[in-house]
């Protein structure tokens, strides 16, 4: 199956904000579904091209954006004044997904939303705000909490820095070897000039607040839900994700534990199997 690729800067926005960047992969034949993709923190959409290609082989089109401060989008690296700014970016992705879903036919293709890590928090928060026409939510290693508990003194220092020096960047400590067992992809992560090594103080406190709201409102999440999580994840808390999964009001929800995998389950050597599983789940719910 041939695939139509497209990418570029999204300059015109419904809500004011920095220019974003997008990339799409659409099967040239009939489109069975369209998936919106939200990347993780210090991440960017181009790192999901292999997944987008695999989905297109099943007739699933996809479009990813680089959120503000990430990848090829404009804005200070990894910074936000408010978490809701990322929800504005998710609304732009929703608009692009709806455009691709309408395509050339009279009946729009069903649409789904995917988020990895921090993108999983953004995607979940976006659905809680307004599920719209999405038929389901797919998450990989959603960042609902840190895998390692942060000492209280650092939490207090982070809150203080968020007020006084909101753009202060502290080393995240993340390296490719913590993301995947694939040596080549681990090296590519470390060498990627668009992957930055720091987390800003304001982003951290805004994210913690968003995580608490996601848990408090999880019962309102009623869309079909699929969550994939590596049991050896060194970044995101599997227990925090399980709490939100358990609290979700979805009658149709799937927890897919991937034994021994690290944080980037879709960059592990077995990524193709997971991509195939996600494709089957999407088509079953389309």
């Amino acid at each position: 199956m041939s695939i139509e690729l497209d990418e570029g800067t999204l300059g015109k926005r419904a809500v004011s904000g920095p220019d974003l960047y997008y990339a799409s992969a659409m099967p040239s034949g009939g489109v069975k579904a369209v998936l919106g993709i939200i990347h993780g923190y210090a991440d960017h959409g181009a790192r999901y091209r292999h997944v987008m290609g695999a989905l297109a082989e099943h007739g699933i089109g996809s479009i990813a954006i680089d959120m503000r401060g990430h990848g090829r989008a404009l804005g200070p690296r990894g910074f936000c004044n408010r978490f809701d700014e990322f929800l504005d970016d998710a609304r732009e992705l929703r608009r692009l997904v709806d455009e691709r879903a309408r395509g050339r036919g009279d009946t729009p293709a069903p649409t789904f939303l995917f988020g990895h890590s921090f993108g999983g928090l953004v995607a979940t928060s976006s659905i809680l705000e307004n599920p719209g026409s999405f038929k389901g939510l797919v998450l990989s290693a959603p960042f609902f909490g840190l895998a390692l508990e942060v000492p209280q003194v650092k939490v207090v220092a982070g809150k203080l820095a968020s007020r006084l020096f909101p753009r202060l960047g502290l080393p995240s400590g993340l390296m490719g070897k913590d993301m995947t067992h694939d040596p080549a992809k681990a090296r590519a992560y470390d060498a990627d000039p668009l992957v930055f090594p720091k987390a800003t103080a304001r982003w951290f406190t805004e994210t913690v607040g968003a995580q608490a709201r996601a848990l408090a409102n999880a019962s309102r999440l009623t869309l079909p839900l699929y969550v994939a999580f590596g049991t050896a994840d060194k970044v995101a808390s599997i227990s925090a994700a399980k709490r939100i999964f358990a609290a979700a009001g979805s009658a149709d929800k799937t927890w897919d534990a991937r034994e021994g995998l690290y944080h980037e389950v879709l960059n592990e050597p077995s990524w193709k199997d997971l991509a195939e599983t996600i494709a089957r789940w999407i088509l079953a719910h389309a």
Side-chain angles (χ1 to χ4, degrees), residues 199-217:
T200 62
R202 178 64 56 79
W203 170 84
F204 179 75
T205 55
E206 287 294 300
T207 295
V208 170
Q211 291 167 340
R213 291 192 297 273
L215 178 59
N217 294 301

Side-chain angles (χ1 to χ4, degrees), residues 106-117:
D106 297 327
T107 303
T111 60
F112 295 80
L113 186 61
F114 167 89
H116 170 70
S117 192

Side-chain angles (χ1 to χ4, degrees), residues 7 24 38 46 51 60 67 72 80 91 99 114 127 135-136 139 144 148 178 198 216 227-228 234 249 254-255 257:
E7 63 179 290
S24 70
I38 305 181
V51 178
I60 301 170
M67 292 186 289
R72 292 176 174 83
C80 68
R91 292 186 193 100
E99 288 176 357
F114 167 89
I127 293 295
K135 300 297 185 183
L139 306 175
F144 295 129
L148 298 177
D178 302 317
K198 294 185 177 182
V227 181
K234 300 178 182 181
T254 301
W255 178 270

